[in-house]
Amino acid sequence: MQKIKKIIIMFFFLLFTAGCCIPMIRVQADDDQRQYAHGINFLTSPVNGKSFLIWSDAYDSGVTDDGDWTHDVFFQQVDKDKPSLSNKRLLIKADEAQEPASASTAGDGSIIVSFEDGNNAGDYTLCQRYAIYDQNMKVVKKYPQLIAMGGHSGHCASTKNRHVVFWCEDWVDGGGVDNLGSGKNVYVTTMTTGGKKVTKIPVSAGNDTRDWWPLAAASSSKVFLLWQRFVPGETYSHICYALLDPVSNKLLSVPGAEDRQDSCIQVISDIKAAYYTYQVTYLESTNQFLVAVTNQDKTGTLLLFDDKGILIQEKDDLPAFVRESTPAIKYGAGSAKLCYPQSPSGVFFVTVENDQIGAASLSKGSYNWSYQGTCGFYDSDGKACFYALGSKKRYLIGPFQK
């Protein structure tokens, strides 16, 4: 994030020094809402049942005169009986931004929080860092723990006994959103829930591809890795995925479908994905992974995979999903009901059961979702709720009921 911001600042600096009549203004700061807040997560401990909201914001500190972002990481405990916006508690603080916050909880209740960090990153400008907490949000391994200097855009997932951070390294100028460029390589770092046996694994690295914005979801033993691949000359991306065993630290061979060969990395080249607007969820009740993608034509697609990475069903012509959002999920016997924010407002429900994705049911809403971060959950009454980041504050949206 800091890299993109500095590219824009340098661009306007060069125009100014060349005698252009355009004034020196912080266009990124004015246009990019993520400067105020970016990255939000809802998680529930499998050990004590406590639920937490974890996010990054700069609501109090703002942006510096130099255009630097100043996010810190915060949390609040959430009561599903009476969800509310309670006072935020500081989790991690440093001079330059720690964002977007990503968090997950393992089977033993251990919680990992990871983020792109601009503080004390030296010549690298930024790095990927993390900290580990117990089921009560007490520190186990305090900030700053390092994933990689020069790392960025990392996201977490956790199995029963491992934490995983899936992250990006390096940057290639040109192409991507507003021609600002793309990431280059993606790696995954695994560790025990106590932060030991830290291992870096290359997932897709080299000069032949440009891969970035890595996301992850985990079952009790496997991690589904999802990311976007730059397509030269186009304004959309292809979606790539892989399965990881975080104990053996190996990518698993995924059976190919149709014209695709068995491979550790599968590229879904028939989908033209809108940049950054995709997401993956593990469905505990069916032991499946569900990938949501917004296409270039602003329609949505759901892809249902089994635990071996085999595509079971593709459902097209859905509403567009909201960028950087996660659904609310309610489990039944062999089924899962999901509620997704739809762009630009409202939500829609789908049910997964018997290896099938059901028909979508839409519900209108007046709140226009942002791209700063949105996370969903079901309250104790069985209604879907969402915490969302805005330009000035957090919001609690809902409840929604099918």
Side-chain angles (χ1 to χ4, degrees):
M1 207 58 55
Q2 305 297 319
K3 186 179 288 292
I4 295 175
K5 176 181 59 189
K6 292 178 186 297
I7 289 170
I8 290 184
I9 292 172
M10 182 58 71
F11 172 75
F12 278 94
F13 175 78
L14 290 174
L15 287 179
F16 179 82
T17 56
C20 179
C21 61
I22 298 175
M24 176 66 81
I25 55 175
R26 293 195 304 273
V27 171
Q28 179 78 357
D30 290 339
D31 290 344
D32 195 336
Q33 298 297 302
R34 294 171 299 174
Q35 67 174 314
Y36 305 111
H38 186 207
I40 190 167
N41 315 259
F42 181 89
L43 52 86
T44 299
S45 171
V47 175
N48 58 17
K50 290 183 179 180
S51 296
F52 296 100
L53 190 69
I54 299 171
W55 74 96
S56 299
D57 82 44
Y59 294 140
D60 299 327
S61 56
V63 179
T64 70
D65 292 339
D66 294 330
D68 290 330
W69 294 4
T70 57
H71 303 64
D72 295 318
V73 182
F74 302 90
F75 79 102
Q76 72 160 78
Q77 189 169 343
V78 177
D79 183 355
K80 289 186 179 180
D81 291 331
K82 296 180 179 179
S84 65
L85 286 168
S86 62
N87 292 334
K88 63 184 183 182
R89 299 173 61 185
L90 182 66
L91 195 64
I92 295 169
K93 180 177 179 59
D95 289 339
E96 198 167 344
Q98 294 80 55
E99 57 80 32
S102 176
S104 61
T105 179
D108 63 2
S110 172
I111 295 169
I112 186 169
V113 181
S114 187
F115 39 82
E116 179 181 307
D117 194 353
N119 196 61
N120 291 331
D123 293 338
Y124 288 91
T125 305
L126 47 78
C127 57
Q128 190 72 34
R129 290 196 172 112
Y130 72 99
I132 297 178
Y133 305 85
D134 68 11
Q135 63 266 29
N136 297 306
M137 293 302 297
K138 302 300 183 182
V139 176
V140 174
K141 289 186 77 70
K142 67 179 181 179
Y143 168 85
Q145 302 294 320
L146 181 66
I147 294 291
M149 299 301 290
H152 60 93
S153 307
H155 286 83
C156 302
S158 302
T159 65
K160 64 181 179 181
N161 57 11
R162 291 291 189 276
H163 288 312
V164 163
V165 180
F166 191 27
W167 52 280
C168 190
E169 183 180 63
D170 211 344
W171 192 261
V172 181
D173 295 336
V177 174
D178 295 330
N179 202 38
L180 292 175
S182 74
K184 184 178 180 184
N185 303 314
V186 288
Y187 294 83
V188 65
T189 295
T190 67
M191 67 189 75
T192 66
T193 55
K196 299 180 179 179
K197 298 182 180 179
V198 180
T199 304
K200 173 184 173 182
I201 305 162
V203 177
S204 180
N207 294 323
D208 295 333
T209 56
R210 293 165 59 174
D211 297 335
W212 82 112
W213 199 244
L215 302 177
S219 69
S220 63
S221 60
K222 296 177 183 177
V223 183
F224 194 106
L225 306 174
L226 181 71
W227 68 97
Q228 61 185 358
R229 174 164 291 177
F230 181 80
V231 181
E234 302 294 348
T235 56
Y236 59 81
S237 63
H238 286 156
I239 296 298
C240 305
Y241 70 96
L243 279 181
L244 172 73
D245 178 345
V247 175
S248 66
N249 290 322
K250 293 181 179 179
L251 296 180
L252 304 175
S253 180
V254 176
E258 298 177 356
D259 59 341
R260 296 198 296 271
Q261 301 295 316
D262 292 3
S263 175
C264 290
I265 294 178
Q266 293 289 343
V267 182
I268 308 177
S269 57
D270 56 343
I271 286 183
K272 298 178 179 180
Y275 290 129
Y276 296 98
T277 313
Y278 54 91
Q279 183 268 341
V280 58
T281 299
Y282 174 66
L283 304 179
E284 181 180 345
S285 58
T286 61
N287 192 28
Q288 295 167 332
F289 295 96
L290 188 62
V291 171
V293 182
T294 294
N295 304 296
Q296 187 187 39
D297 65 2
K298 298 182 180 180
T299 62
T301 295
L302 284 172
L303 303 166
L304 183 63
F305 296 87
D306 69 11
D307 66 338
K308 297 181 178 61
I310 298 174
L311 179 61
I312 299 172
Q313 185 189 3
E314 176 177 333
K315 192 173 187 64
D316 299 310
D317 299 321
L318 293 168
F321 299 93
V322 173
R323 177 174 166 176
E324 296 199 42
S325 67
T326 58
I329 309 172
K330 182 168 66 174
Y331 294 118
S335 67
K337 183 166 77 171
L338 298 96
C339 180
Y340 286 95
Q342 65 171 332
S343 182
S345 63
V347 299
F348 69 94
F349 297 84
V350 294
T351 299
V352 176
E353 59 184 346
N354 299 323
D355 298 336
Q356 293 290 321
I357 305 170
S361 174
L362 279 62
S363 179
K364 293 182 179 180
S366 58
Y367 177 80
N368 286 331
W369 306 105
S370 80
Y371 54 82
Q372 297 162 259
T374 303
C375 59
F377 66 99
Y378 274 88
D379 65 16
S380 298
D381 292 330
K383 297 177 181 178
C385 302
F386 293 89
Y387 284 103
L389 297 173
S391 61
K392 296 182 179 180
K393 62 180 181 178
R394 289 172 293 142
Y395 293 88
L396 177 59
I397 311 300
F400 298 93
Q401 188 169 23
K402 184 176 179 179

